[in-house]
Amino acid sequence: INAEYGEFAMSEWLRASGVYWCLTALKLMHNSELKEEDLFNFVMSCYNKEKGGFGASENHDPHLLYTLSAVQILAIIGRLDDLDKDKVVSFVTALQQSDGSFWGDEWGEVDTRFTFCAFATLVLIGKLPECDVAKGVQFVLRCKNFDGAFGCVPGSESHAGQVFCCVGALSIANQLHLLDIDQLAWWLCERQLPSGGLNGRPEKLPDVCYSWWVLSALKIIGRLHWLDKSSLVKFILASQDEEVGGFADRPGDMVDPFHTLFGLAGLSLLGDQHIAKVNPVLCLPQSLVDSLGLKLEMVSQNL
């Protein structure tokens, strides 16, 4: 985007994640025409040398959300070895609290999203044991609700996005056996609506992004086959703008990179042969995850 456009300023607060969404979407569509040096320079412009984390844009405070996005970008372009991994470890581990939770940044917000971001960042750079994994797992389990799903903190409402984060964190920690898999899978499958689309919690509209949050969690716990796949595919494809090519949250709305990535990733999980296989935990091409030597826990499919 031209820096003189209003969109450039409006997207500053999430730019690192926006680059990750676009880059991963391109990789899933087998596009290799990338300006990798420009991508590397952008990512490093977001790096805080003093604290060891990454912000959303240049001169932004470092945060776990954007640190994960930055590490994912560096993994895609093959530049993880150019990262000061010890500094990143220091940033991430300093945010873990005595109860096992993680702050997103120095200002103290706690959320299971940040547990996932911390675990995913560390596993991608080969440093997962540097944090207290066991305490992190215990915090995740305290966020489980009576319905088998998870919220952002203990006692908060179950949400499909938080379910992905918690299940993903448990997969990275090799602790999926601690889940009530069938109860959780039932809650996730109840997210499918008559349109075929998925919502994030009861009484909400369907949204293409949940084609990732719900499907990835079901894939990890081996229950993807419990959904009506064909109707979900129709919903996702109906949300694509035939003129500009991207995906919206639902049919008829404006497209954006966020929903485009997660629509494509959902189609990948549903077996679309035109899209590269995606890893359901890290939302990166499976071929890349394999090349990094990462073996993340998955539950085998059960009838």
Side-chain angles (χ1 to χ4, degrees):
I1 300 175
N2 190 310
E4 296 181 357
Y5 292 174
E7 290 89 343
F8 187 83
M10 291 171 63
S11 64
E12 184 175 306
W13 64 277
L14 50 62
R15 189 162 299 140
S17 292
V19 170
Y20 156 71
W21 300 330
C22 293
L23 180 57
T24 306
L26 288 169
K27 282 294 185 180
L28 291 179
M29 294 186 292
H30 309 283
N31 188 304
S32 58
E33 298 179 7
L34 304 171
K35 297 181 179 179
E36 294 186 354
E37 193 62 29
D38 289 346
L39 287 165
F40 177 75
N41 291 335
F42 164 73
V43 169
M44 297 314 297
S45 75
C46 302
Y47 181 59
N48 186 303
K49 294 180 180 179
E50 178 183 349
K51 297 180 180 178
F54 291 81
S57 297
E58 187 175 0
N59 297 320
H60 280 233
D61 290 342
H63 194 287
L64 274 178
L65 289 172
Y66 307 113
T67 298
L68 174 57
S69 291
V71 169
Q72 288 169 315
I73 294 167
L74 293 176
I76 291 172
I77 64 175
R79 300 294 293 269
L80 283 177
D81 288 340
D82 292 311
L83 186 63
D84 186 339
K85 296 177 183 178
D86 290 337
K87 287 289 289 184
V88 174
V89 168
S90 177
F91 172 72
V92 173
T93 56
L95 293 171
Q96 188 167 24
Q97 306 304 300
S98 59
D99 65 353
S101 66
F102 285 83
W103 289 1
D105 59 16
E106 63 182 301
W107 303 111
E109 181 185 6
V110 171
D111 192 310
T112 46
R113 290 179 301 158
F114 308 148
T115 302
F116 172 77
C117 289
F119 281 16
T121 297
L122 293 176
V123 80
L124 279 168
I125 61 174
K127 299 287 187 178
L128 181 62
E130 298 294 327
C131 75
D132 193 329
V133 176
K135 275 193 172 183
V137 166
Q138 288 304 311
F139 174 74
V140 166
L141 295 177
R142 288 198 295 276
C143 297
K144 179 183 174 182
N145 291 317
F146 70 93
D147 52 19
F150 293 83
C152 58
V153 294
S156 64
E157 182 183 9
S158 294
H159 191 283
Q162 309 302 143
V163 169
F164 162 77
C165 291
C166 293
V167 171
L170 293 175
S171 171
I172 293 170
N174 201 38
Q175 297 294 314
L176 290 177
H177 64 279
L178 298 174
L179 291 170
D180 185 333
I181 288 174
D182 284 347
Q183 184 188 27
L184 175 58
W186 183 263
W187 186 89
L188 288 167
C189 290
E190 286 185 325
R191 307 280 60 77
Q192 190 161 32
L193 301 174
S195 64
L198 303 165
N199 64 16
R201 49 196 169 123
E203 305 302 324
K204 295 295 182 178
L205 294 173
D207 188 317
V208 162
C209 71
Y210 295 110
S211 303
W212 172 253
W213 311 120
V214 172
L215 286 185
S216 56
L218 285 171
K219 178 68 174 178
I220 294 168
I221 63 176
R223 299 297 186 272
L224 187 58
H225 58 297
W226 283 17
L227 278 181
D228 182 346
K229 295 182 182 180
S230 61
S231 65
L232 179 53
V233 169
K234 290 178 181 178
F235 176 81
I236 296 172
L237 294 178
S239 302
Q240 183 180 22
D241 188 306
E242 295 181 357
E243 293 184 3
V244 301
F247 290 80
D249 56 351
R250 58 188 63 90
D253 285 354
M254 182 69 71
V255 302
D256 60 76
F258 177 86
H259 291 93
T260 297
L261 168 59
F262 294 126
L264 289 169
L267 292 172
S268 175
L269 290 175
L270 291 167
D272 191 309
Q273 297 301 305
H274 297 95
I275 303 171
K277 187 175 181 181
V278 68
N279 181 271
V281 178
L282 298 173
C283 198
L284 291 168
Q286 184 62 49
S287 59
L288 171 60
V289 175
D290 292 341
S291 72
L292 294 172
L294 298 177
K295 303 293 184 183
L296 304 176
E297 186 182 17
M298 305 281 169
V299 177
S300 59
Q301 181 171 307
N302 190 18
L303 296 178

